[in-house]
Structure formats: C-alpha cells, structure tokens
CSV table of all heavy atoms in Angstrom, one decimal:
chain,number,residue,atom,x,y,z
S,8,ILE,N,0.8,-1.2,0.0
S,8,ILE,CA,0.0,0.0,0.0
S,8,ILE,C,0.9,1.3,0.0
S,8,ILE,O,0.6,2.2,-0.7
S,8,ILE,CB,-1.0,0.0,1.2
S,8,ILE,CG1,-2.0,-1.1,0.9
S,8,ILE,CG2,-1.6,1.3,1.4
S,8,ILE,CD1,-3.0,-1.3,2.0
S,9,LYS,N,2.0,1.2,0.7
S,9,LYS,CA,2.9,2.3,0.8
S,9,LYS,C,3.4,2.6,-0.6
S,9,LYS,O,3.6,3.7,-1.0
S,9,LYS,CB,4.1,2.0,1.7
S,9,LYS,CG,4.8,3.2,2.3
S,9,LYS,CD,5.6,2.8,3.5
S,9,LYS,CE,7.0,2.3,3.0
S,9,LYS,NZ,7.8,1.7,4.1
S,10,GLN,N,3.6,1.5,-1.4
S,10,GLN,CA,4.2,1.7,-2.8
S,10,GLN,C,3.2,2.2,-3.8
S,10,GLN,O,3.5,3.1,-4.5
S,10,GLN,CB,4.7,0.4,-3.3
S,10,GLN,CG,6.0,0.0,-2.6
S,10,GLN,CD,6.6,-1.3,-3.2
S,10,GLN,OE1,6.3,-1.7,-4.4
S,10,GLN,NE2,7.4,-2.0,-2.5
S,11,VAL,N,2.0,1.6,-3.8
S,11,VAL,CA,1.1,2.0,-4.9
S,11,VAL,C,-0.2,2.6,-4.5
S,11,VAL,O,-1.1,3.0,-5.3
S,11,VAL,CB,0.8,0.7,-5.8
S,11,VAL,CG1,2.0,0.3,-6.5
S,11,VAL,CG2,0.2,-0.4,-5.0
S,12,GLY,N,-0.5,2.6,-3.2
S,12,GLY,CA,-1.7,3.3,-2.7
S,12,GLY,C,-2.9,2.5,-3.0
S,12,GLY,O,-2.9,1.3,-3.3
S,13,ASN,N,-4.0,3.2,-3.0
S,13,ASN,CA,-5.3,2.6,-3.2
S,13,ASN,C,-5.7,2.6,-4.7
S,13,ASN,O,-5.1,3.4,-5.5
S,13,ASN,CB,-6.4,3.4,-2.5
S,13,ASN,CG,-6.8,2.6,-1.3
S,13,ASN,OD1,-6.3,1.5,-1.0
S,13,ASN,ND2,-7.8,3.1,-0.5
S,14,PRO,N,-6.6,1.7,-5.1
S,14,PRO,CA,-6.8,1.5,-6.5
S,14,PRO,C,-7.3,2.7,-7.2
S,14,PRO,O,-8.0,3.5,-6.8
S,14,PRO,CB,-8.0,0.5,-6.5
S,14,PRO,CG,-7.7,-0.3,-5.3
S,14,PRO,CD,-7.2,0.7,-4.3
S,15,LYS,N,-6.7,2.9,-8.4
S,15,LYS,CA,-7.1,3.8,-9.4
S,15,LYS,C,-7.7,3.0,-10.5
S,15,LYS,O,-7.0,2.1,-11.1
S,15,LYS,CB,-6.0,4.7,-9.8
S,15,LYS,CG,-5.5,5.6,-8.7
S,15,LYS,CD,-4.3,6.5,-9.1
S,15,LYS,CE,-3.7,7.2,-7.9
S,15,LYS,NZ,-3.5,6.3,-6.7
S,16,LEU,N,-8.9,3.3,-10.9
S,16,LEU,CA,-9.6,2.5,-12.0
S,16,LEU,C,-9.7,3.3,-13.2
S,16,LEU,O,-9.8,4.6,-13.1
S,16,LEU,CB,-10.9,2.0,-11.5
S,16,LEU,CG,-11.0,1.4,-10.1
S,16,LEU,CD1,-12.5,1.1,-9.8
S,16,LEU,CD2,-10.2,0.1,-10.0
S,17,ASP,N,-9.6,2.7,-14.4
S,17,ASP,CA,-9.9,3.5,-15.6
S,17,ASP,C,-11.4,3.5,-15.8
S,17,ASP,O,-12.2,3.0,-15.0
S,17,ASP,CB,-9.1,2.9,-16.8
S,17,ASP,CG,-9.7,1.5,-17.2
S,17,ASP,OD1,-10.7,1.1,-16.7
S,17,ASP,OD2,-9.1,0.9,-18.1
S,18,GLU,N,-11.8,4.1,-17.0
S,18,GLU,CA,-13.2,4.3,-17.2
S,18,GLU,C,-14.0,3.0,-17.3
S,18,GLU,O,-15.2,3.0,-17.2
S,18,GLU,CB,-13.4,5.2,-18.5
S,18,GLU,CG,-12.8,4.7,-19.8
S,18,GLU,CD,-11.3,4.8,-19.9
S,18,GLU,OE1,-10.7,5.4,-19.0
S,18,GLU,OE2,-10.7,4.3,-20.9
S,19,ASN,N,-13.3,1.9,-17.6
S,19,ASN,CA,-14.0,0.6,-17.6
S,19,ASN,C,-14.0,-0.1,-16.3
S,19,ASN,O,-14.4,-1.3,-16.2
S,19,ASN,CB,-13.4,-0.3,-18.7
S,19,ASN,CG,-13.4,0.5,-20.1
S,19,ASN,OD1,-14.3,1.1,-20.4
S,19,ASN,ND2,-12.2,0.4,-20.8
S,20,GLY,N,-13.5,0.5,-15.3
S,20,GLY,CA,-13.4,-0.1,-14.0
S,20,GLY,C,-12.3,-1.1,-13.9
S,20,GLY,O,-12.2,-1.9,-13.0
S,21,ILE,N,-11.3,-1.0,-14.8
S,21,ILE,CA,-10.1,-1.9,-14.7
S,21,ILE,C,-9.1,-1.2,-13.8
S,21,ILE,O,-8.8,0.0,-14.0
S,21,ILE,CB,-9.5,-2.1,-16.1
S,21,ILE,CG1,-10.6,-2.7,-17.1
S,21,ILE,CG2,-8.3,-3.0,-16.0
S,21,ILE,CD1,-11.0,-4.1,-16.9
S,22,MET,N,-8.5,-2.0,-12.9
S,22,MET,CA,-7.5,-1.4,-12.0
S,22,MET,C,-6.2,-1.1,-12.7
S,22,MET,O,-5.6,-2.0,-13.4
S,22,MET,CB,-7.3,-2.4,-10.8
S,22,MET,CG,-6.8,-1.6,-9.6
S,22,MET,SD,-6.4,-2.7,-8.2
S,22,MET,CE,-7.9,-3.4,-7.8
S,23,LYS,N,-5.8,0.1,-12.6
S,23,LYS,CA,-4.5,0.6,-13.2
S,23,LYS,C,-3.4,0.6,-12.2
S,23,LYS,O,-2.2,0.5,-12.6
S,23,LYS,CB,-4.7,2.0,-13.8
S,23,LYS,CG,-5.6,2.0,-15.1
S,23,LYS,CD,-4.9,1.4,-16.2
S,23,LYS,CE,-5.8,1.3,-17.5
S,23,LYS,NZ,-5.5,0.0,-18.2
S,24,LYS,N,-3.8,0.9,-11.0
S,24,LYS,CA,-2.7,1.0,-10.0
S,24,LYS,C,-3.4,0.8,-8.6
S,24,LYS,O,-4.6,1.1,-8.4
S,24,LYS,CB,-2.2,2.4,-10.0
S,24,LYS,CG,-0.8,2.6,-9.3
S,24,LYS,CD,-0.3,4.0,-9.6
S,24,LYS,CE,0.9,4.3,-8.7
S,24,LYS,NZ,2.2,3.6,-9.1
S,25,GLY,N,-2.7,0.2,-7.7
S,25,GLY,CA,-3.2,0.1,-6.3
S,25,GLY,C,-3.1,-1.4,-5.8
S,25,GLY,O,-2.5,-2.2,-6.4
S,26,VAL,N,-3.8,-1.5,-4.7
S,26,VAL,CA,-3.8,-2.8,-4.0
S,26,VAL,C,-5.2,-3.3,-3.8
S,26,VAL,O,-6.1,-2.5,-3.4
S,26,VAL,CB,-3.2,-2.7,-2.6
S,26,VAL,CG1,-3.2,-4.0,-1.8
S,26,VAL,CG2,-1.7,-2.2,-2.6
S,27,MET,N,-5.5,-4.6,-4.1
S,27,MET,CA,-6.8,-5.2,-3.7
S,27,MET,C,-6.4,-6.4,-2.9
S,27,MET,O,-5.8,-7.3,-3.4
S,27,MET,CB,-7.6,-5.6,-4.9
S,27,MET,CG,-8.8,-6.3,-4.4
S,27,MET,SD,-10.3,-6.2,-5.4
S,27,MET,CE,-9.9,-6.8,-7.0
S,28,VAL,N,-6.9,-6.4,-1.7
S,28,VAL,CA,-6.7,-7.6,-0.8
S,28,VAL,C,-7.8,-8.6,-1.0
S,28,VAL,O,-9.0,-8.2,-1.0
S,28,VAL,CB,-6.7,-7.1,0.7
S,28,VAL,CG1,-6.4,-8.3,1.6
S,28,VAL,CG2,-5.7,-6.0,0.9
S,29,ARG,N,-7.4,-9.8,-1.2
S,29,ARG,CA,-8.4,-10.9,-1.4
S,29,ARG,C,-8.4,-11.8,-0.2
S,29,ARG,O,-7.4,-12.0,0.5
S,29,ARG,CB,-8.0,-11.7,-2.6
S,29,ARG,CG,-8.1,-11.0,-3.9
S,29,ARG,CD,-7.5,-11.7,-5.1
S,29,ARG,NE,-6.1,-12.1,-4.8
S,29,ARG,CZ,-5.2,-12.6,-5.6
S,29,ARG,NH1,-5.6,-12.8,-6.9
S,29,ARG,NH2,-4.0,-13.0,-5.3
S,30,HIS,N,-9.6,-12.2,0.1
S,30,HIS,CA,-9.7,-13.2,1.3
S,30,HIS,C,-10.7,-14.2,0.9
S,30,HIS,O,-11.9,-13.9,0.6
S,30,HIS,CB,-10.1,-12.4,2.5
S,30,HIS,CG,-10.4,-13.4,3.7
S,30,HIS,ND1,-9.4,-14.1,4.3
S,30,HIS,CD2,-11.5,-13.8,4.2
S,30,HIS,CE1,-9.9,-14.9,5.2
S,30,HIS,NE2,-11.2,-14.7,5.2
S,31,LEU,N,-10.3,-15.5,1.1
S,31,LEU,CA,-11.2,-16.6,0.8
S,31,LEU,C,-11.7,-17.1,2.1
S,31,LEU,O,-11.0,-17.5,3.0
S,31,LEU,CB,-10.4,-17.7,0.1
S,31,LEU,CG,-11.2,-19.0,-0.2
S,31,LEU,CD1,-12.3,-18.8,-1.2
S,31,LEU,CD2,-10.2,-20.1,-0.7
S,32,VAL,N,-13.1,-17.1,2.3
S,32,VAL,CA,-13.7,-17.5,3.5
S,32,VAL,C,-13.7,-19.1,3.6
S,32,VAL,O,-14.2,-19.7,2.6
S,32,VAL,CB,-15.1,-17.0,3.6
S,32,VAL,CG1,-15.8,-17.5,4.9
S,32,VAL,CG2,-15.2,-15.5,3.5
S,33,LEU,N,-13.1,-19.6,4.6
S,33,LEU,CA,-13.1,-21.1,4.7
S,33,LEU,C,-14.3,-21.6,5.6
S,33,LEU,O,-14.6,-21.0,6.6
S,33,LEU,CB,-11.8,-21.5,5.4
S,33,LEU,CG,-10.5,-21.2,4.6
S,33,LEU,CD1,-9.3,-21.6,5.5
S,33,LEU,CD2,-10.5,-22.0,3.3
S,34,PRO,N,-14.8,-22.7,5.2
S,34,PRO,CA,-15.9,-23.3,6.1
S,34,PRO,C,-15.4,-23.6,7.5
S,34,PRO,O,-14.2,-23.9,7.6
S,34,PRO,CB,-16.3,-24.6,5.3
S,34,PRO,CG,-15.1,-24.9,4.5
S,34,PRO,CD,-14.5,-23.6,4.1
S,35,ASN,N,-16.2,-23.4,8.5
S,35,ASN,CA,-15.8,-23.7,9.9
S,35,ASN,C,-14.8,-22.7,10.5
S,35,ASN,O,-14.5,-22.7,11.7
S,35,ASN,CB,-15.2,-25.1,10.0
S,35,ASN,CG,-16.2,-26.2,9.9
S,35,ASN,OD1,-17.2,-26.1,10.5
S,35,ASN,ND2,-15.9,-27.2,9.0
S,36,TYR,N,-14.4,-21.7,9.7
S,36,TYR,CA,-13.4,-20.8,10.2
S,36,TYR,C,-13.9,-19.3,10.0
S,36,TYR,O,-13.1,-18.5,9.6
S,36,TYR,CB,-12.0,-21.0,9.6
S,36,TYR,CG,-11.4,-22.3,10.0
S,36,TYR,CD1,-11.3,-23.3,9.0
S,36,TYR,CD2,-11.1,-22.6,11.3
S,36,TYR,CE1,-10.7,-24.5,9.3
S,36,TYR,CE2,-10.5,-23.8,11.6
S,36,TYR,CZ,-10.4,-24.8,10.6
S,36,TYR,OH,-9.9,-26.0,11.0
S,37,ILE,N,-15.1,-19.1,10.4
S,37,ILE,CA,-15.7,-17.8,10.2
S,37,ILE,C,-15.0,-16.8,11.1
S,37,ILE,O,-14.8,-15.6,10.7
S,37,ILE,CB,-17.3,-17.9,10.5
S,37,ILE,CG1,-17.9,-18.8,9.5
S,37,ILE,CG2,-17.9,-16.5,10.4
S,37,ILE,CD1,-17.6,-18.5,8.0
S,38,GLU,N,-14.6,-17.2,12.3
S,38,GLU,CA,-13.9,-16.3,13.2
S,38,GLU,C,-12.6,-15.8,12.6
S,38,GLU,O,-12.2,-14.7,12.7
S,38,GLU,CB,-13.7,-16.9,14.6
S,38,GLU,CG,-15.0,-17.1,15.4
S,38,GLU,CD,-15.8,-15.8,15.4
S,38,GLU,OE1,-15.3,-14.7,15.8
S,38,GLU,OE2,-17.0,-15.8,15.1
S,39,ASN,N,-11.9,-16.7,11.9
S,39,ASN,CA,-10.7,-16.4,11.2
S,39,ASN,C,-11.0,-15.2,10.2
S,39,ASN,O,-10.3,-14.2,10.2
S,39,ASN,CB,-10.1,-17.6,10.5
S,39,ASN,CG,-8.9,-17.2,9.7
S,39,ASN,OD1,-7.9,-16.7,10.2
S,39,ASN,ND2,-9.0,-17.4,8.4
S,40,SER,N,-12.0,-15.4,9.4
S,40,SER,CA,-12.4,-14.4,8.4
S,40,SER,C,-12.7,-13.1,9.1
S,40,SER,O,-12.3,-12.0,8.6
S,40,SER,CB,-13.5,-14.9,7.6
S,40,SER,OG,-13.1,-16.0,6.7
S,41,LYS,N,-13.5,-13.1,10.1
S,41,LYS,CA,-13.8,-11.9,10.8
S,41,LYS,C,-12.6,-11.2,11.3
S,41,LYS,O,-12.5,-9.9,11.2
S,41,LYS,CB,-14.8,-12.2,12.0
S,41,LYS,CG,-16.2,-12.6,11.5
S,41,LYS,CD,-17.1,-12.7,12.8
S,41,LYS,CE,-18.5,-13.0,12.4
S,41,LYS,NZ,-19.4,-13.2,13.6
S,42,LYS,N,-11.6,-11.9,11.9
S,42,LYS,CA,-10.4,-11.3,12.4
S,42,LYS,C,-9.6,-10.7,11.2
S,42,LYS,O,-9.1,-9.6,11.4
S,42,LYS,CB,-9.5,-12.3,13.1
S,42,LYS,CG,-10.0,-12.6,14.5
S,42,LYS,CD,-9.1,-13.6,15.2
S,42,LYS,CE,-9.7,-14.0,16.5
S,42,LYS,NZ,-9.0,-15.1,17.1
S,43,VAL,N,-9.6,-11.3,10.1
S,43,VAL,CA,-8.9,-10.8,8.9
S,43,VAL,C,-9.6,-9.5,8.5
S,43,VAL,O,-8.9,-8.4,8.3
S,43,VAL,CB,-8.9,-11.8,7.7
S,43,VAL,CG1,-8.5,-11.1,6.4
S,43,VAL,CG2,-8.0,-13.0,8.0
S,44,LEU,N,-10.9,-9.5,8.4
S,44,LEU,CA,-11.6,-8.3,7.9
S,44,LEU,C,-11.5,-7.2,8.9
S,44,LEU,O,-11.3,-6.0,8.6
S,44,LEU,CB,-13.1,-8.6,7.7
S,44,LEU,CG,-13.3,-9.6,6.5
S,44,LEU,CD1,-14.8,-10.1,6.5
S,44,LEU,CD2,-12.9,-9.0,5.2
S,45,LYS,N,-11.5,-7.5,10.2
S,45,LYS,CA,-11.4,-6.5,11.3
S,45,LYS,C,-10.0,-5.9,11.2
S,45,LYS,O,-9.8,-4.6,11.2
S,45,LYS,CB,-11.6,-7.1,12.6
S,45,LYS,CG,-11.7,-6.1,13.8
S,45,LYS,CD,-12.2,-6.9,15.0
S,45,LYS,CE,-12.0,-6.1,16.3
S,45,LYS,NZ,-12.7,-4.8,16.3
C-alpha cells in the first residue's frame, strides 16, 4: 500500500494502480475471516 496506494480504476473499472486484498472464507473458520476483515 505504501508503494502503490489505493486502487485507481480506468473508465471501464479496470484497475490501473493500487492494492486489492483478497480473502477466501473457509468453512468452519468464520472467526478467522472476521479477524482478517477487522
């Protein structure tokens, strides 16, 4: 994030610069996901 900051999208909504954090929710580990999001 320090390097590229938050997403800048072009007119088609395609990301040109920035960070997008992905998180896959695992079954049985909802608390883990909540902690990640928090």
Side-chain angles (χ1 to χ4, degrees):
I8 288 174
K9 204 163 85 191
Q10 287 183 23
V11 295
N13 254 2
K15 294 178 188 44
L16 311 176
D17 69 7
E18 59 285 356
N19 305 317
I21 306 287
M22 203 184 294
K23 289 288 177 215
K24 200 172 169 74
V26 176
M27 173 151 59
V28 181
R29 294 170 304 191
H30 174 70
L31 178 63
V32 181
L33 296 173
N35 289 310
Y36 295 111
I37 299 309
E38 288 312 307
N39 174 62
S40 290
K41 286 183 175 181
K42 282 183 186 164
V43 166
L44 295 170
K45 191 169 166 54

